[in-house]
Amino acid sequence: HDPEQLRLDLESRFARGPLFDALAGSTSRTWLLSNHRSDWLAARLERFDLTGRFERVLVSDRIGAAKPTPRAFREIAGLARRSAVCFVDDQQVNVDGARSLGVHARLLTPDQPVPAVAD
């Protein structure tokens, strides 16, 4: 099997997720906390024109922890002590992980708008 052909086949299967429109249309300051590899995620953000959408991107391979562990939410928890933050995620276990550190968190589904958070 040709590795490049396999990569192209895999790439052709990626599509915008169900929360893409809610996120892309939000005017709230937004950070991304992702359980992926940085190189993989960067290509997806670029492909879907989201590269500049996030104020900061935190990726599990760079921070050395993955959601829902408390260590993964450390920077978000620090920010929450300084300004209004709402962590949104499409998985309840991650929402619960953020809440366990005192971060306001909400489960986001495709039919709900991204919540606005005032500083």
Side-chain angles (χ1 to χ4, degrees):
H1 298 285
D2 178 23
E4 181 61 16
Q5 186 57 44
L6 290 172
R7 186 191 66 75
L8 291 171
D9 181 55
L10 180 61
E11 285 288 326
S12 72
R13 297 169 194 245
F14 286 108
R16 292 179 175 171
L19 302 177
F20 176 84
D21 290 334
L23 181 61
S26 172
T27 58
S28 296
R29 293 173 50 207
T30 307
W31 286 19
L32 175 63
L33 176 59
S34 180
N35 287 350
H36 284 292
R37 293 199 43 79
S38 299
D39 53 350
W40 183 92
L41 181 63
R44 266 52 310 108
L45 293 175
E46 185 175 324
R47 177 174 178 192
F48 294 111
D49 197 27
L50 289 170
T51 303
R53 174 63 189 97
F54 300 102
E55 190 173 293
R56 186 161 183 195
V57 176
L58 304 166
V59 188
S60 56
D61 71 330
R62 296 256 170 104
I63 63 174
K67 299 179 287 184
T69 64
R71 185 172 172 207
F73 293 102
R74 185 180 346 194
E75 290 190 54
I76 291 174
L79 175 67
R81 286 189 276 282
R82 294 190 300 273
S83 63
V85 170
C86 179
F87 173 78
V88 296
D89 201 285
D90 61 349
Q91 295 186 32
Q92 187 66 52
V93 67
N94 294 334
V95 170
D96 293 343
R99 287 178 178 162
S100 74
L101 294 177
V103 175
H104 176 68
R106 181 173 140 190
L107 184 66
L108 185 66
T109 61
D111 60 333
Q112 296 171 321
V114 175
V117 178
D119 286 328

